[in-house]
Amino acid sequence: MMIDFVPDETLYPFESRWFDSSAGRVHYVDEGFGPPILFCHGSPTWSFLYRHIVAGLRDRYRCIAVDHLGFGLSERPESFDYRIAEHSTVLGELIDHLQLDGFVVMGHDWGGPIGLSAAAERAGRVRGIVLGNTVFWPIEPLANRAFSAIMSSGPMQRRILGQNLLVERFLLGELGGTLTEAEADHYRQVQPTERSRRGLAVMPREIRAARPLLDRLARDVPALLGHKPALAVWGMRDIVFRPGTCIPRIRAAFADLDVVELPRAGHFVQEYAPDEIVSAIARRFP
């Protein structure tokens, strides 16, 4: 199925583009000219999350922001299983289709593993890495694994599908007064029905189920990408991707890393501090 929501051009002033991947039709934006930057969202967001950053950088970079299958305006294929490894395969197809070379990849939340997995397989074409409140190693804390088990249970799966729980509670519940009602609706209206939310429902299970991919990334990222210039932009109030745990792990993986701490930002850093992120990327990758 496709999503018939049309973004408000005053909030999302970009031309929609489409790529027919091996698994389904992928929506993305491709704005500006210059060195390419590929922006990868996580759950339960879409490329709308990067709207301020794309607008702030497209005068000097080619900014590509993708909607993973099952998210945003991309297709919801019936035969797709919406696992992180499969999302990464589709992203790799888009990278190859666009013939990206010398590109920077930015990943947030599940967009980190998705983007890094595709980038590691194309390490010779990668210029640099930007990470924002994400991981690329197995998610170990017991509380996170318990969250995965609870959210994968029948009752919670029904709430994710029937009540759009991940958007309403975990995204909009955190952002509170940060968004206007129109902006909040742009997150709601791309997940309008139970059928459209199948991709959302898979994500909590992946905390445990994606361990093979995350085990591989824990080895491959330092080995294949660890010498690339890297930037971490971190919401210091994130209670899941805690800075005290995550930033040292990222420092250990990258030999040339800049860290920008965002003291007032929570998990969705692009909504809290877009101007700071734009400035940090422009400084790091002139």
Side-chain angles (χ1 to χ4, degrees):
M1 66 173 292
M2 298 297 296
I3 301 299
D4 60 7
F5 173 67
V6 177
D8 183 335
E9 64 181 13
T10 65
L11 297 177
Y12 189 79
F14 314 122
E15 178 184 353
S16 287
R17 301 175 187 269
W18 304 92
F19 167 61
D20 290 320
S21 77
S22 63
R25 199 170 192 225
V26 174
H27 173 263
Y28 67 101
V29 299
D30 189 344
E31 298 281 320
F33 299 93
I37 306 179
L38 175 64
F39 296 102
C40 302
H41 70 85
S43 177
T45 59
W46 60 293
S47 57
F48 186 75
L49 180 72
Y50 285 104
R51 65 196 181 281
H52 298 305
I53 296 169
V54 171
L57 291 174
R58 62 180 170 178
D59 62 336
R60 63 205 118 160
Y61 300 92
R62 179 186 178 189
C63 297
I64 301 147
V66 63
D67 293 347
H68 307 305
L69 292 174
F71 294 82
L73 303 181
S74 287
E75 189 177 1
R76 274 68 171 165
E78 293 293 337
S79 60
F80 193 64
D81 66 10
Y82 299 100
R83 298 188 63 181
I84 301 306
E86 282 64 40
H87 285 304
S88 179
T89 296
V90 170
L91 181 67
E93 292 178 6
L94 177 63
I95 292 170
D96 295 343
H97 170 73
L98 296 176
Q99 300 181 339
L100 299 185
D101 198 8
F103 68 95
V104 172
V105 60
M106 178 174 181
H108 172 261
D109 189 86
W110 280 119
I114 293 169
L116 288 171
S117 182
E121 294 179 359
R122 297 159 180 81
R125 293 157 56 188
V126 175
R127 179 187 179 194
I129 306 294
V130 182
L131 300 176
N133 294 68
T134 187
V135 296
F136 52 85
W137 54 85
I139 301 169
E140 299 290 0
L142 181 60
N144 291 340
R145 286 185 281 128
F147 172 83
S148 174
I150 292 168
M151 298 301 289
S152 301
S153 68
M156 297 308 289
Q157 286 281 294
R158 287 191 289 274
R159 290 186 66 187
I160 291 170
L161 293 171
Q163 301 173 25
N164 207 9
L165 179 71
L166 295 182
V167 170
E168 294 293 345
R169 179 173 176 183
F170 293 99
L171 193 159
L172 301 181
E174 175 186 329
L175 291 173
T178 303
L179 300 178
T180 66
E181 190 62 24
E183 289 172 323
D185 280 344
H186 276 62
Y187 286 114
R188 292 187 177 106
Q189 293 182 29
V190 294
Q191 301 289 0
T193 65
E194 289 193 23
R195 185 180 171 203
S196 69
R197 298 171 192 149
R198 288 179 55 235
L200 287 181
V202 172
M203 292 295 102
R205 297 200 297 271
E206 286 293 274
I207 293 173
R208 294 170 297 159
R211 184 174 185 117
L213 179 142
L214 295 170
D215 276 330
R216 175 172 58 79
L217 285 180
R219 300 187 300 270
D220 286 354
V221 168
L224 301 175
L225 300 171
H227 62 289
K228 306 284 185 180
L231 169 67
V233 287
W234 217 264
M236 302 300 284
R237 294 185 178 181
D238 192 337
I239 62 172
V240 177
F241 296 98
R242 296 180 182 273
T245 300
C246 295
I247 293 176
R249 186 81 181 250
I250 294 171
R251 287 190 187 279
F254 292 97
D256 183 10
L257 174 72
D258 286 353
V259 176
V260 174
E261 298 181 359
L262 303 169
R264 293 178 297 280
H267 178 66
F268 299 99
V269 289
Q270 298 91 336
E271 294 289 4
Y272 289 105
D275 293 342
E276 291 92 331
I277 295 171
V278 165
S279 296
I281 292 173
R283 287 194 305 269
R284 190 70 176 105
F285 300 102

